[in-house]
Amino acid sequence: MAIMSENDVERQGGVARANEDASQENIENWLPISASRKAKWWYSTFHNVTAMVGAGVLGLPFALSQLGWGPGITVIIVSWLVTFYSLWQLVQMHELVPGRRFDRYFALGEHVFGSKGRVGYWIIMIQQLIVQVASTIVYSVTGGKSLKKFCEIVDPAVFEDIRQSYYIVFFVCLQLILSQIPNFNTLKGISLLAALMSVCYSMVAFGSSLAKGFEHHPTQYDVRSHTPAGITFDIFNALGTIAFAFAGHSVVLEIQATLPSTEEKPSKVPMWRGVVVAYSIVIICYLTVAVSGYWAFGAVVEDDVLVSLERPAWVIATANMMVFLHVIGSYQVFAMPVFDTMESCLVQNFKLPPSRNLRIIARSIYVALVGLVAVSFPFFGGLLGFFGGLAFTATSYIIPCVLWIKAKKPKVGSFHWVASMFCITLGCMIAIVAPIGGIRTIVVSIKTYKFYS
């Protein structure tokens, strides 16, 4: 038997490591997040607008009806400032280590907290998945409700008796097809359309609410509930609804992963340019829709402001179709990182070969399960509050600041330390109380709800 020398052992070890690295690179080139890095800075603009200005903006007048004028507007503006700052932190940390990119939120957490026990990985992975799965559930509900509203306005005689469940199922069937888009960068056309639609229906909601308000608006603006318990629970739910409106952080590193990056031109420069433009659009849409919707309807505004608007019919029908088109794209923006996680697990942990069949089966099962939940529990307002408080505050308010403090170690009392601690404190408060309000809203809704009606 031949005895191997130390040089032979080292050489074989080097070959094995090289083969392992090559295999990992091939997997990265196949996975939907890291397959393509040819995006432009403006791609990040409409990806972020698509992720942010979604179903949440239509619930902001409802949140104001639970909080009142002053507190409601204050919470929206403070949330915008806080999440704008925490988003900047994530963009900066994408290339925390020179020559390395953290293309996934949980990968950044794993690095910052260290690999021992994978604490950072599991904390962020679970929170991120909750956000992304919850978003796809809510967007399925929103897509079905918006399509139903559109069809009923266009031809009420034909569509009035069709159950909302069928519209949600139709939306899910569309997503079964679109879910086969291979990677994030290939999604740019659908995401651009979704971003345009989100801005357009926000402006339609703003204009229509103004017209309704000028025609007739409440003389007094009380909050929805009139008992101490009701007011308290409504405040909790409103905080979650507003938190839901700032949900883009769960996909920001994945969006940044599609941009090219070198040491001379790191991806954080074009990414931040796109984020600034996107966030400017976000605050304009949020304030105009929230203020005009509450001004027009007061405490009786629906949890989706477009449901409150009825005239002119063709405008409202158009707006609902815009919402439907938007959530088609926003669903995919939030689903793509979920697909990436599933496929990475199946290929790396279960050793399944990367293939089209794997994608078809895995993604179809996910879309079908999400659709089943959406059909069963279509409580829009309660879902926003519950999921917004449960996980959205963690990924948007808390985790970026915790990672920043641990990785950058800012001096106690410095601006970044104070700002990060404020964001963490605010986020923890919302995370505690908002799910309570969301559950209460769901419980109230379920008393009069007939399943699959």
Side-chain angles (χ1 to χ4, degrees), residues 49-64 66 76 134-135 138-139 142-143 146 198 201-202 205 237-248 282 285-287 289-291 302-306 323 326-327 330 334 380-381 383-385 388 392:
V49 171
T50 299
M52 298 287 275
V53 188
V57 69
L58 300 176
L60 292 179
F62 184 76
L64 257 64
Q66 296 175 312
I76 292 174
S135 296
V138 173
Y139 288 143
T142 308
S146 299
S198 66
Y201 71 68
S202 296
N237 188 68
L239 293 175
T241 300
I242 294 172
F244 185 96
F246 295 95
V282 165
C285 292
Y286 282 14
L287 287 179
V289 173
V291 171
E302 296 284 347
D303 58 2
D304 179 343
V305 68
L306 290 181
V323 174
H326 165 75
V327 294
S330 56
F334 280 95
F380 182 81
L383 289 173
L384 292 188
F392 287 62

Side-chain angles (χ1 to χ4, degrees), residues 123-404:
I123 289 175
I124 296 179
M125 164 70 80
I126 292 171
Q127 296 287 340
Q128 188 182 22
L129 280 178
I130 290 173
V131 170
Q132 291 160 352
V133 173
S135 296
T136 53
I137 293 171
V138 173
Y139 288 143
S140 297
V141 175
T142 308
K145 290 180 69 173
S146 299
L147 183 61
K148 176 177 171 61
K149 182 76 173 180
F150 170 80
C151 292
E152 287 178 348
I153 293 174
V154 171
D155 196 337
V158 175
F159 295 102
E160 190 173 17
D161 295 330
I162 298 179
R163 297 178 181 180
Q164 179 177 286
S165 303
Y166 295 160
Y167 293 97
I168 297 177
V169 169
F170 176 76
F171 179 86
V172 171
C173 290
L174 284 180
Q175 294 302 334
L176 285 171
I177 299 171
L178 292 176
S179 65
Q180 301 310 315
I181 294 174
N183 59 65
F184 213 138
N185 199 42
T186 313
L187 195 63
K188 58 183 179 292
I190 293 175
S191 182
L192 174 59
L193 175 63
L196 291 174
M197 291 298 100
S198 66
V199 175
C200 288
Y201 71 68
S202 296
M203 293 302 101
V204 169
F206 169 59
S208 300
S209 295
L210 280 183
K212 177 68 176 179
F214 283 123
E215 178 185 313
H216 176 74
H217 63 86
T219 56
Q220 292 183 336
Y221 290 90
D222 297 326
V223 293
R224 301 183 73 87
S225 295
H226 301 288
T227 64
I231 292 172
T232 301
F233 283 121
D234 278 356
I235 291 173
F236 291 171
N237 188 68
L239 293 175
T241 300
I242 294 172
F244 185 96
F246 295 95
H249 295 59
S250 67
V251 293
V252 67
L253 291 178
E254 287 78 0
I255 293 172
Q256 192 168 346
T258 65
L259 294 168
S261 182
T262 62
E263 290 189 12
E264 297 78 20
K265 296 181 179 180
S267 65
K268 64 184 179 182
V269 177
M271 181 65 183
W272 183 242
R273 189 184 308 164
V275 167
V276 169
V277 176
Y279 247 67
S280 300
I281 295 171
V282 165
I283 193 60
I284 292 172
C285 292
Y286 282 14
L287 287 179
T288 52
V289 173
V291 171
S292 64
Y294 183 49
W295 176 68
F297 298 101
V300 297
V301 67
E302 296 284 347
D303 58 2
D304 179 343
V305 68
L306 290 181
V307 176
S308 296
L309 296 166
E310 297 177 354
R311 292 184 297 170
W314 67 271
V315 173
I316 307 308
T318 302
N320 277 278
M321 178 51 64
M322 289 176 177
V323 174
F324 177 73
L325 294 174
H326 165 75
V327 294
I328 286 175
S330 56
Y331 181 106
Q332 287 298 317
V333 167
F334 280 95
M336 197 62 72
V338 181
F339 298 156
D340 182 90
T341 301
M342 289 193 310
E343 290 161 18
S344 176
C345 178
L346 291 172
V347 171
Q348 295 180 328
N349 296 344
F350 292 90
K351 307 303 180 184
L352 297 177
S355 64
R356 180 181 296 180
N357 287 339
L358 184 148
R359 276 188 169 155
I360 291 173
I361 295 172
R363 295 185 182 188
S364 298
I365 291 174
Y366 172 79
V367 174
L369 290 175
V370 164
L372 178 61
V373 175
V375 169
S376 302
F377 305 100
F379 310 123
F380 182 81
L383 289 173
L384 292 188
F386 178 73
F387 286 127
L390 184 65
F392 287 62
T393 47
T395 55
S396 297
Y397 293 70
I398 302 172
I399 293 175
C401 299
V402 172
L403 294 177
W404 183 269

